[in-house]
Amino acid sequence: MVELFLRFERLTTRIALLAAIAMLIISVTLGFYQVVTRFVLDAPSTWSEVISRSAMIWCVFLGAAAGFRGGFMMSVEVIYKLLPTRRLIWLEAFVALCCLIVFLVLVQYGTSMTLRVRTQMLSGLEVSIAWAYAAMPVGAGFALIAVLARLLAQVTGRETIGPEESETPKVAAPTPDTHSRSVHQASAPESNTPESSATQSSASRDGATAQTTHPQDEVRP
């Protein structure tokens, strides 16, 4: 049953994400068209701005489902670090409960508001403004399913609990110069062997004997 619900959620979230991408493309394209017609052609369009704004509203509400499902919303990571691992699921359940309450409110009041304004028309278009208000209940419904699926996946152990751990700083790999210096330092003590010490001592004695020659040895009768 859980696996079936998760498959259904993956389908709905994918549909919502693709629709959000399409709405974003429409909004950006019509915004560019509005700028061209206003400042280049000096004949501003009367319908592109309204559709661009409505498409952006749909993009935000539809994209919320993918954001909640992937856990990309803002979170206080210090709370996850302070709580024991066994109690993190209760924190996730509390967060999911708060999200579900908000989405249920959006679905209920968004639906009633959409029905209330269905007789009004968008400026410059003969289209009901209810199509723009419908983004609230529709997007909240997709997000509601995504939050439930995320909580079920965490409870059943299919996904990890909490945000991902922050990346630890990586140690830079040693360069060839650093490696050669370390090898030289490691091999330096090996030259301090008894044979080398005896050789250095005899060489120093010979040098001292050669430098301390008495003057009378150099004078010949």
Side-chain angles (χ1 to χ4, degrees), residues 71 75 80 83 87-99 147 150-151 154-155 160-163:
S75 61
Y80 289 91
L83 290 178
R87 297 184 180 180
L88 287 179
I89 188 62
W90 296 105
L91 178 61
E92 288 288 342
F94 175 74
V95 173
L97 178 61
C98 295
C99 294
V147 171
R150 177 177 172 82
L151 182 61
Q154 290 175 341
V155 170
T160 57
I161 300 176

Side-chain angles (χ1 to χ4, degrees), residues 14-61:
R14 184 175 180 82
I15 293 174
L17 183 59
L18 293 177
I21 294 173
M23 291 298 172
L24 179 61
I25 294 174
I26 293 174
S27 179
V28 173
T29 304
L30 292 180
F32 179 74
Y33 173 77
Q34 176 70 19
V35 172
V36 171
T37 56
R38 180 182 294 273
F39 296 102
V40 178
L41 304 179
D42 199 15
S45 175
T46 59
W47 55 270
S48 58
E49 183 179 357
V50 178
I51 298 179
S52 176
R53 184 169 59 248
S54 302
M56 183 58 65
I57 294 173
W58 275 95
C59 173
V60 171
F61 280 97

